[in-house]
Amino acid sequence: MEEGPVPLLTFATAPYHDQKPGTSGLRKKTYYFEEKPCYLENFIQSIFFSIDLKDRQGSSLVVGGDGRYFNKSSIETIVQMAAANGIGRLVIGQNGILSTPAVSCIIRKIKAIGGIILTASHNPGGPNGDFGIKFNISNGVEVVDSVEAYATMLRNIFDFSALKELLSGPNRLKIRIDAMHGVVGPYVKKILCEELGAPANSAVNCVPLEDFGGHHPDPNLTYAADLVETMKSGEHDFGAAFDGDGDRNMILGKHGFFVNPSDSVAVIAANIFSIPYFQQTGVRGFARSMPTSGALDRVANATKIALYETPTGWKFFGNLMDASKLSLCGEESFGTGSDHIREKDGLWAVLAWLSILATRKQSVEDILKDHWQKYGRNFFTSSQSKCGEREDATLSDEFLLLTDQEIPNGGAPQVASVNLVASVTVLLGAG
């Protein structure tokens, strides 16, 4: 018996004036999406309306998230709305799990019209936590292996044979990787442990949880304190942590030696040809966000490679990539990436660092000290405060948070700036 077409249902709804996306999409407390009528549906429909009708019909769309609470039910809604809006093919991560870098990878691979990513990045999850939606531009539902397409891309960027020798050879580097119960856990297990041979106990907190185990999935010295303490024991040579959706990273050396994000991108730039991808493509340019220190500028100046300073927001790096002017970029908020995808990419950054370690055969600390000796050192500190739930808060209110006591050693700031989420950043030292 032949079935007729599935009927379309139309719902009357009113706009929500607080649905104003920031630099990383729409982020709100989870209860907004769960309890406010059509709050999720309104925003998803606005995404579909942003795509021309003729481009929507029969197109492919990638959908996935970091596994936080409300992820699965949201995907069910998106599947129904996508069908009603004429999307011909949905590519969904297994169990609804896809890291933000993996979504960008799949969009390019299948030439999808875009991707909907359900994440609030490094913000906490759970019923009392946060939820968010990002849309990345670029017949039926296809469930894909969340890891394989992304792993294939990385195999074409890095020398996996050299990395396997580094992590599993007779003089192997002892690593400690904390996925913080975010989406990158399965990627770490598959790529670093199973494929590159790092011992299984090298990676911890690799099962994605809806509430991230009750912790804040933000890879910094405060929220990745367990990793920091473990690294201080001296048992491990290299440590790294990731945020909820896998696009941010923190790098540590033995005894908890901390690599700040501004130095991290500068070191990668100075050793960029340790990565085979750049041996093939060459280097078009470097870029950093305005609040990020000038460490990258020093490398660009020494290597005669173009350097671009952008406003806060990864989309500005994307514009440079689209113009074929950018190969490597980074920001002070633990985001590092290259033109292999149009997103910051935490696991890419870790493999970049491991490639440098394999080439240089030095410790993280020695590499940093040599780098400072050669290029000079920038000192950097950041003081941030969000306006929070106060709808009447203004940017001028936040300026009051900057005081002399926040500037180490009584020094005067060279640059004081405010980014789009009303945070105050002070850059100190040379550069």
Side-chain angles (χ1 to χ4, degrees):
M1 180 178 176
E2 191 172 317
E3 295 184 4
V6 178
L8 295 181
L9 301 178
T10 302
F11 297 89
T13 182
Y16 287 98
H17 298 292
D18 62 348
Q19 289 193 338
K20 298 176 181 178
T23 57
S24 296
L26 179 69
R27 292 183 193 169
K28 294 286 183 181
K29 290 295 182 184
T30 305
Y31 69 79
Y32 276 70
F33 296 91
E34 270 200 304
E35 299 176 8
K36 293 194 173 188
C38 292
Y39 197 84
L40 171 69
E41 290 84 349
N42 273 22
F43 194 74
I44 296 300
Q45 188 60 53
S46 73
I47 290 175
F48 290 134
F49 280 155
S50 73
I51 306 169
D52 191 277
L53 180 60
K54 62 179 174 54
D55 294 328
R56 256 183 358 235
Q57 300 305 307
S59 63
S60 297
L61 181 73
V62 183
V63 181
D66 61 12
R68 69 180 56 231
Y69 178 80
F70 201 57
N71 190 72
K72 292 180 180 178
S73 58
S74 295
I75 290 177
E76 292 174 2
T77 299
I78 291 169
V79 168
Q80 297 175 50
M81 294 184 68
N85 278 274
I87 302 296
R89 178 190 181 200
L90 282 176
V91 177
I92 302 174
Q94 193 172 34
N95 299 316
I97 298 290
L98 277 175
S99 73
T100 295
V103 170
S104 286
C105 168
I106 295 171
I107 289 172
R108 287 190 175 190
K109 180 180 179 181
I110 69 172
K111 296 180 171 58
I113 198 170
I116 295 176
I117 309 168
L118 305 174
T119 178
S121 188
H122 55 293
N123 291 13
N128 298 317
D130 294 346
F131 191 78
I133 305 170
K134 294 197 288 189
F135 180 63
N136 279 13
I137 58 174
S138 140
N139 265 342
V141 174
E142 179 181 353
V143 177
V144 300
D145 186 307
S146 299
V147 178
E148 187 52 38
Y150 178 72
T152 298
M153 178 189 69
L154 293 180
R155 292 184 197 110
N156 292 325
I157 294 174
F158 299 101
D159 183 346
F160 268 37
S161 295
L163 293 177
K164 187 168 185 176
E165 177 66 21
L166 177 73
L167 298 180
S168 60
N171 299 310
R172 71 176 181 86
L173 189 81
K174 295 181 180 179
I175 65 172
R176 182 75 166 185
I177 308 297
D178 190 345
M180 301 187 81
H181 289 301
V183 69
V184 82
Y187 297 81
V188 168
K189 281 291 189 183
K190 170 72 174 179
I191 296 169
L192 290 178
C193 298
E194 294 177 22
E195 184 154 356
L196 297 180
N201 62 3
S202 299
V204 297
N205 300 324
C206 286
V207 177
L209 298 177
E210 290 188 342
D211 65 349
F212 305 107
H215 299 295
H216 197 135
D218 196 351
N220 58 40
L221 296 174
T222 299
Y223 294 113
D226 289 348
L227 174 65
V228 175
E229 287 304 310
T230 299
M231 291 299 297
K232 284 181 179 179
S233 70
E235 182 181 348
H236 302 90
D237 305 301
F238 177 88
F242 305 97
D243 69 339
D245 63 334
D247 60 1
R248 301 178 194 233
N249 72 96
M250 178 178 69
I251 303 296
L252 298 172
K254 197 166 189 172
H255 302 297
F257 184 87
F258 172 61
V259 181
N260 79 57
S262 300
D263 279 340
S264 181
V265 68
V267 169
I268 294 173
N271 297 274
I272 198 163
F273 293 114
S274 298
I275 302 169
Y277 174 84
F278 295 111
Q279 297 171 16
Q280 299 164 10
T281 66
V283 181
R284 299 181 180 93
F286 300 140
R288 63 169 175 83
S289 61
M290 179 271 295
T292 306
S293 88
L296 183 60
D297 306 42
R298 294 172 177 269
V299 178
N301 183 61
T303 56
K304 308 301 181 187
I305 293 174
L307 185 283
Y308 302 92
E309 180 185 81
T310 71
T312 298
W314 203 263
K315 62 184 177 182
F316 297 107
F317 294 142
N319 294 339
L320 289 168
M321 291 178 193
D322 292 344
S324 298
K325 293 183 176 181
L326 179 60
S327 295
L328 175 71
C329 52
E331 58 187 8
E332 93 293 347
S333 55
F334 295 86
T336 317
S338 86
D339 60 351
H340 68 291
I341 56 172
R342 211 174 180 274
E343 283 283 347
K344 48 184 172 253
D345 188 342
L347 189 50
W348 177 92
V350 166
L351 291 181
W353 262 95
L354 291 174
S355 298
I356 294 168
L357 292 169
T359 300
R360 295 278 298 266
K361 295 179 171 51
Q362 292 177 283
S363 69
V364 171
E365 184 173 356
D366 286 344
I367 288 173
L368 258 295
K369 288 180 176 179
D370 282 356
H371 181 90
W372 294 330
Q373 183 68 33
K374 181 175 182 178
Y375 297 101
R377 184 177 184 181
N378 290 67
F379 291 86
F380 168 86
T381 186
S382 176
S383 177
Q384 299 186 341
S385 176
K386 292 186 179 181
C387 293
E389 299 298 317
R390 279 184 54 202
E391 295 185 2
D392 63 335
T394 65
L395 216 53
S396 60
D397 293 333
E398 302 307 314
F399 271 116
L400 299 177
L401 296 171
L402 182 63
T403 67
D404 291 339
Q405 285 73 31
E406 291 174 312
I407 302 171
N409 303 322
Q414 287 189 317
V415 180
S417 63
V418 178
N419 68 24
L420 295 179
V421 294
S423 68
V424 180
T425 299
V426 181
L427 304 186
L428 303 170

